Amino acid sequence: MNEAFTQWLAAHATAPGLLACGIRASEISCVCHAASEKCPAEKMEKILHQLAVAQPWLFNEPLAPRWSTWTFEHGQIRLVNRPDGLLLGMVAAPDAAAQNLDQLAEEFLALPPAG
Amino acid sequence: MDDDPVFLQLVADLFTPLSQGSWQIHRVGSADAALNFLKEHPVDLIVVDINMSVLDGVQFLRILHRLYPDLKKVTLTGFATEEKRNECLANGAELFIEKPRAADGHRSIFVMLDELLNWAPKDGFQGMLRKVGLADVIQMECLGRNSSVLEISNRQMRGRIYIQDGNIVHAAVGGVVGEKAFQKILCITGGSFQLLPFESPAQRTVEGPWEFLLMEAARVRDEAASLPSAETETPAEEPEPIAGPAVRVAETLICSGRGETLHNHQCADPGARVAFLKDVSQQAERLLQTLPLGKFDRLEIHLADGRAIVQTRADRMVFVRVTPELAAA
């Protein structure tokens, strides 16, 4: 995976409210960080793979998402889709500020294409 | 909370067996300890001694009520006066109790506290926004296709939501009307409501399905709750309305838990949407198997030109897609 993405992820892994985050390029290329024991890195990775597999049949036109947020009672999962196929996954506390997650999503989308 | 450890021990020793294990009693000896404890642990009810040596108990009660409006609070004092009682009840206490001087008195207190813990308003005619959420009452009225006026008030504001034949037709709070007023009212976290007989509002300011309105209000409320505390702590006399971009409902589908269409607004392929809703529900279940995050509430999808919201429940599934008003014009 492009070094710029892994560096960006590491720099934001402890953003307020974030329990874990990860970027998935393919089944074998996935980098994850955990900021809380509530969501270990291996679970983050599993979630990313689960959602990556589900997305193509879940979301068809006109529902191609820029990002999607699964909100549960005790947490939320944000998945951000880049046009080049990279996926950013974030597991956040239920009270994590949506603006923070939106900002991270926009930053991720604005990173230069993976080389 | 009491600065007398002997009294705390006595209460724990008496109430634990009386509750037959249904209570978990935590003891703290100071306001600091209480606030620290509450930060980490959910609590159903707190009993506060208002005559502690260092702290003004009523002041602490006021702080507590501001931070935790939904927490049931009981004040306890060895020196009860009518003035103190009124002061405590005005600052968020549900009960004002004088410290007992005999074992029988302790039993009476236990019964009162247990009653308060299990108390929930009946039928919503007059109730506190605690056990029954405001959204539940609105949902109940809309599902029943009722007509009523819901008047909600707390110390900062008084608002009204008009429901006619199960549709939300008007909302007003302060000088704000319409959907913004509805969202603002739904942001109220403590206070009281009254269900009044329906009367026609002077104007109709709210359109759209009530499911969408409730979901949108929940989203706005969640966002407001996640603002830094400095922005939300000081209650304004008349808070600013919560701004939100104007949107147009492009598509709505409501179906039963089994997938039978109950309401369709501009959904070109209801069958495909129902299949999508079922897929979302299954996917949420799979995610929960990986990470137990509690009950699934909703899926929000941010699209290039708008947003879609999905809610799936055992008895009902809802899909709403909105586009920006300007883009739609």
Side-chain angles (χ1 to χ4, degrees):
Chain A
M1 192 185 302
N2 188 323
E3 188 66 17
F5 286 93
T6 53
Q7 282 177 3
W8 180 86
L9 188 69
H12 294 87
T14 54
L18 218 54
L19 305 179
C21 58
I23 295 177
R24 181 191 191 273
S26 67
E27 284 75 10
I28 53 163
S29 177
C30 190
V31 182
C32 293
H33 294 278
S36 162
E37 60 188 17
K38 287 177 188 166
C39 183
E42 59 269 24
K43 287 205 171 179
M44 180 74 247
E45 187 172 339
K46 192 172 175 190
I47 286 170
L48 259 176
H49 287 315
Q50 256 180 294
L51 287 173
V53 170
Q55 283 220 93
W57 54 260
L58 202 54
F59 301 124
N60 300 308
E61 286 294 336
L63 297 179
R66 293 184 79 225
W67 66 72
S68 50
T69 308
W70 299 75
T71 302
F72 297 85
E73 195 179 2
H74 303 306
Q76 45 185 313
I77 300 170
R78 171 77 65 102
L79 198 70
V80 188
N81 300 59
R82 276 178 61 95
D84 56 14
L86 288 187
L87 282 182
L88 167 68
M90 296 182 273
V91 175
D95 57 349
Q99 297 97 315
N100 290 349
L101 299 184
D102 289 355
Q103 194 183 333
L104 290 172
E106 293 290 5
E107 276 185 33
F108 175 71
L109 290 171
L111 288 172
Chain B
M1 181 188 99
D2 199 315
D3 59 356
D4 180 353
V6 177
F7 179 75
L8 286 177
Q9 185 64 52
L10 175 73
V11 166
D13 290 347
L14 284 169
F15 287 2
T16 302
L18 283 172
S19 76
Q20 296 179 325
S22 64
W23 286 21
Q24 265 194 317
I25 301 173
H26 305 279
R27 292 165 278 163
V28 289
S30 69
D32 283 353
L35 291 174
N36 283 332
F37 186 86
L38 287 169
K39 266 187 212 165
E40 303 290 332
H41 305 88
V43 167
D44 296 312
L45 181 148
I46 183 168
V47 182
V48 178
D49 178 7
I50 54 161
N51 289 105
M52 298 202 297
S53 51
V54 181
L55 178 84
D56 175 358
V58 176
Q59 193 181 8
F60 174 69
L61 188 64
R62 196 175 298 128
I63 294 167
L64 200 61
H65 192 52
R66 199 179 69 202
L67 293 173
Y68 302 98
D70 295 335
L71 173 63
K72 289 175 177 171
K73 302 161 202 80
V74 174
T75 52
L76 203 59
T77 177
F79 313 96
T81 64
E82 194 57 31
E83 185 191 357
K84 218 46 158 183
R85 178 181 181 278
N86 292 337
E87 214 176 349
C88 287
L89 295 182
N91 282 286
E94 260 94 357
L95 281 176
F96 177 86
I97 303 176
E98 190 165 5
K99 274 186 180 174
R101 302 181 201 289
D104 273 353
H106 285 100
R107 185 180 290 273
S108 302
I109 288 181
F110 171 81
V111 171
M112 274 193 277
L113 296 180
D114 201 47
E115 187 66 25
L116 180 61
L117 271 172
N118 294 315
W119 177 85
K122 288 187 175 63
D123 296 336
F125 276 102
Q126 170 78 48
M128 304 301 288
L129 304 183
R130 294 177 194 278
K131 289 285 181 189
V132 174
L134 184 54
D136 295 330
V137 178
I138 295 169
Q139 189 170 357
M140 190 176 70
E141 288 299 286
C142 292
L143 278 172
R145 299 191 180 279
N146 294 337
S147 295
S148 56
V149 178
L150 197 54
E151 188 174 84
I152 302 99
S153 60
N154 68 4
R155 290 196 187 87
Q156 279 82 47
M157 59 177 89
R158 178 180 295 271
R160 279 184 160 208
I161 295 170
Y162 291 74
I163 299 169
Q164 186 172 17
D165 299 327
N167 296 307
I168 299 164
V169 295
H170 179 59
V173 60
V176 186
V177 296
E179 202 174 318
K180 282 180 185 168
F182 183 77
Q183 291 169 356
K184 190 172 167 182
I185 292 169
L186 267 287
C187 283
I188 296 176
T189 54
S192 61
F193 63 79
Q194 248 187 312
L195 211 48
L196 307 170
F198 181 75
E199 57 183 71
S200 285
Q203 51 182 334
R204 181 172 180 142
T205 59
V206 180
E207 301 282 348
W210 60 267
E211 287 90 348
F212 170 72
L213 292 165
L214 280 177
M215 280 194 286
E216 188 62 8
R219 186 189 65 79
V220 170
R221 188 182 57 221
D222 289 351
E223 285 185 7
S226 65
L227 289 173
S229 57
E231 289 178 42
T232 55
E233 221 167 57
T234 312
E237 195 58 38
E238 187 55 61
E240 283 295 309
I242 295 155
V247 294
R248 183 181 74 91
V249 179
E251 181 183 340
T252 306
L253 184 80
I254 302 167
C255 63
S256 71
R258 287 185 298 181
E260 297 141 341
T261 301
L262 302 174
H263 172 75
N264 178 3
H265 169 70
Q266 294 185 351
C267 175
D269 188 350
R273 279 287 170 268
V274 169
F276 169 72
L277 290 169
K278 287 180 177 173
D279 288 342
V280 167
S281 181
Q282 283 174 8
Q283 188 58 43
E285 287 298 322
R286 283 194 202 105
L287 289 169
L288 284 173
Q289 284 166 13
T290 304
L291 199 62
L293 291 171
K295 205 170 76 176
F296 174 55
D297 184 59
R298 64 186 182 273
L299 167 66
E300 289 175 66
I301 310 161
H302 283 251
L303 308 160
D305 65 338
R307 207 170 69 243
I309 305 176
V310 175
Q311 255 194 342
T312 60
R313 298 281 184 271
D315 62 337
R316 202 158 35 89
M317 298 190 284
V318 180
F319 175 89
V320 181
R321 184 164 62 87
V322 295
T323 55
E325 187 78 274
L326 287 176

